[in-house]
Amino acid sequence: MDFFEFLNYAVTPYHTVDKIRQILATPSDSVKIFERGGALIAVRLPKKVCLDSHFRIALAHTDFPALKITPNPDRAAAGVQTLHPEIYGSPLFTSWLDRDLGYAGLIAYEQDGRLRTKLVRGEKLFRIPQLAVHLNRGVNQDGLKVNPQTDLNALWTAIGGKENFTDALAAELPAGAKLLDFDIQLFDAQPAQLGGFDDEWVYSGRLDNLSSCHAIAEAFAAALALEKDFQVAAFFNNEEVGSETREGAAGNFLKSVLEEVLSSFTQNSKRACERPLSSLLADSFALSIDMAHACHPNFVQKHESNHPPVLGGGVVLKVNSQKRYASDVFSNARFKLLCEQSNIPYQTFVMRNDMPCGSTVGPAISASLGIPTVDIGEPMLSMHSIREMTTVADHEKMTSLVSAFWK
């Protein structure tokens, strides 16, 4: 599927999973798909299972920093009705100001005594206008400071319009249905587009981590069943808030799926069953794919001088001695060998010692399953902004790498 089509559709984790399911097509005897809210795991079975079978797993996350509409969001001031959000993850607050904002997510409702859900995406645009410079004279000298409690209420209608936001959501329901709950967030409504003089860059919201999701989904859809290895594509939710949820990488979703798949596939093969899942995983391999910080040309001092990944420089290997990344000497070596054999360039990122390091789903999966894991990503700028930037070439290289991983 076209990269831009994916980016423009996947405006919430639920929409991301919906689009991934479309890319992977209908489950079959050889491909099993498991969903849990805003998370999805796809497994392609091998032609046979034997004592030296392995799992080849690619990991990513479906969520991104956002402003989520609170359960009782309605406020009124100065002739305008606003919506109060709750911060999800760590968005760059200033980037959300003066933007055209859409709203989308999942609504839960009751109909005929049954609980149902529905994906929604509103057609109307909202906005969080910032204060004019005339009323904030020192803003250009002192910098803009945003209070997330008071300064991020989104303007959505004039007083006297819709009574409240839940009425607008209820209008999405079938006749006779009752709205029970919702998980709705704001998103950048501007479509993804090419940028740069030679159209070498991609400008879009949600690149972290939709770029990785798209690369994995595209590679999985094009892959063929292997002789003895399982191909696994795992897309988790809630990475931006720590992963410790039932849909997150620190939950039991992946382990339970692998146990079920292995058990059902090998139940008639006594020899294959002799090897437990833990032993199988220890000899397997996982790519944890999440976006990486490219060196900013205006702030080169923010990078470790010997490890500054650059836009267009290839896939980024992420290393951290505090183990914020799962990469270690063993998984790094396997990754480098894969790159060399596939003729894919790579570069290495190490965080400065005087700055904290972020993390990924990699450490949670590697620790809980005991599987060797390497953390990699595409270089990007403006991470956690409402509008981010990566390169066409690096996205193609990442897709090619995952494809090579599953051959």
Side-chain angles (χ1 to χ4, degrees):
M1 174 173 287
D2 178 76
F3 186 29
F4 284 13
E5 180 183 347
F6 181 80
L7 292 172
N8 294 334
Y9 185 92
V11 294
T12 75
Y14 306 110
H15 288 80
T16 303
V17 164
D18 187 56
K19 184 56 70 173
I20 290 172
R21 190 191 318 109
Q22 295 176 35
I23 296 175
L24 301 185
T26 305
S28 63
D29 290 339
S30 62
V31 176
K32 308 297 182 183
I33 294 179
F34 306 82
E35 290 186 46
R36 186 181 285 186
L40 180 148
I41 297 173
V43 182
R44 180 175 286 108
L45 306 177
K47 296 177 182 179
K48 63 179 180 180
V49 172
C50 52
L51 288 176
D52 58 346
S53 291
H54 306 95
F55 289 103
R56 303 188 192 184
I57 306 176
L59 312 165
H61 64 88
T62 62
D63 63 321
F64 28 82
L67 304 184
K68 292 205 172 195
I69 304 302
T70 54
N72 300 304
D74 300 284
R75 301 188 178 188
V80 173
Q81 288 184 226
T82 65
L83 299 175
H84 182 63
E86 186 177 16
I87 307 304
Y88 179 85
S90 54
L92 188 61
F93 295 149
T94 56
S95 68
W96 286 76
L97 306 178
D98 298 333
R99 303 290 310 186
D100 293 340
L101 304 176
Y103 68 97
L106 190 75
I107 54 178
Y109 63 96
E110 176 270 330
Q111 186 176 36
D112 300 327
R114 297 184 62 185
L115 177 63
R116 305 175 187 271
T117 60
K118 178 184 177 182
L119 278 179
V120 297
R121 179 171 179 166
E123 297 180 354
K124 306 300 182 180
L125 298 177
F126 304 157
R127 197 171 180 86
I128 307 173
Q130 67 172 299
L131 190 63
V133 67
H134 313 83
L135 305 178
N136 191 12
R137 290 291 185 178
V139 64
N140 290 329
Q141 293 72 39
D142 303 331
L144 180 62
K145 296 178 174 59
V146 177
N147 184 315
Q149 175 65 21
T150 60
D151 299 349
L152 293 177
N153 295 329
L155 282 61
W156 81 288
T157 191
I159 289 178
K162 290 279 186 182
E163 182 178 350
N164 55 55
F165 186 62
T166 55
D167 289 342
L169 296 181
E172 302 273 358
L173 300 177
K178 177 184 177 182
L179 180 67
L180 297 175
D181 205 353
F182 59 87
D183 185 354
I184 302 293
Q185 63 191 59
L186 300 174
F187 66 90
D188 174 35
Q190 184 178 355
Q193 62 188 53
L194 292 173
F197 192 78
D198 293 316
D199 289 336
E200 65 266 49
W201 298 325
V202 177
Y203 302 153
S204 177
R206 307 171 297 281
L207 289 172
D208 175 22
N209 193 31
L210 293 186
S211 289
S212 305
C213 290
H214 180 263
I216 293 173
E218 284 287 288
F220 189 91
L224 300 175
L226 299 173
E227 189 66 27
K228 60 183 179 180
D229 285 354
F230 294 85
Q231 298 158 322
V232 183
F235 308 90
F236 298 102
N237 198 356
N238 304 136
E239 188 274 346
E240 298 292 353
V241 292
S243 294
E244 294 185 350
T245 66
R246 62 185 297 271
E247 302 172 8
N252 71 342
F253 189 24
L254 181 57
K255 183 179 180 181
S256 63
V257 165
L258 297 183
E259 288 174 340
E260 178 179 341
V261 167
L262 186 62
S263 175
S264 62
F265 190 84
T266 64
Q267 59 184 346
N268 296 320
S269 175
K270 180 179 179 181
R271 181 168 181 257
C273 285
E274 292 175 352
R275 192 174 187 197
L277 176 63
S278 59
S279 174
L280 196 65
L281 287 169
D283 291 333
S284 297
F285 192 47
L287 303 178
S288 171
I289 309 177
D290 203 345
M291 301 300 280
H293 293 288
C295 186
H296 195 305
N298 296 340
F299 300 93
V300 294
Q301 71 278 9
K302 292 293 185 179
H303 271 72
E304 208 289 315
S305 59
N306 285 354
H307 305 88
V310 296
L311 293 172
V315 175
V316 178
L317 169 62
K318 298 191 279 188
V319 179
N320 181 254
S321 63
Q322 302 297 326
K323 310 312 293 183
R324 298 293 289 169
Y325 302 131
S327 308
D328 60 25
V329 63
F330 307 105
S331 60
N332 292 352
R334 294 178 69 167
F335 163 76
K336 292 177 180 180
L337 181 59
L338 177 62
C339 287
E340 291 175 3
Q341 293 173 338
S342 308
N343 196 30
I344 295 173
Y346 68 88
Q347 46 191 335
T348 305
F349 171 79
V350 174
M351 180 62 77
R352 288 175 57 102
N353 285 326
D354 53 3
M355 296 177 65
C357 183
S359 192
T360 70
V361 300
I365 292 298
S366 183
S368 63
L369 297 185
I371 182 171
T373 303
V374 65
D375 266 299
I376 59 176
E378 299 170 35
M380 69 173 294
L381 295 175
S382 302
M383 187 179 290
H384 285 204
S385 170
I386 196 174
R387 194 82 177 162
E388 298 170 324
M389 174 180 174
T390 188
T391 76
V392 174
D394 289 325
H395 184 65
E396 292 174 346
K397 291 166 187 170
M398 180 62 78
T399 305
S400 296
L401 177 70
V402 185
S403 295
F405 178 59
W406 280 327
K407 289 183 179 178

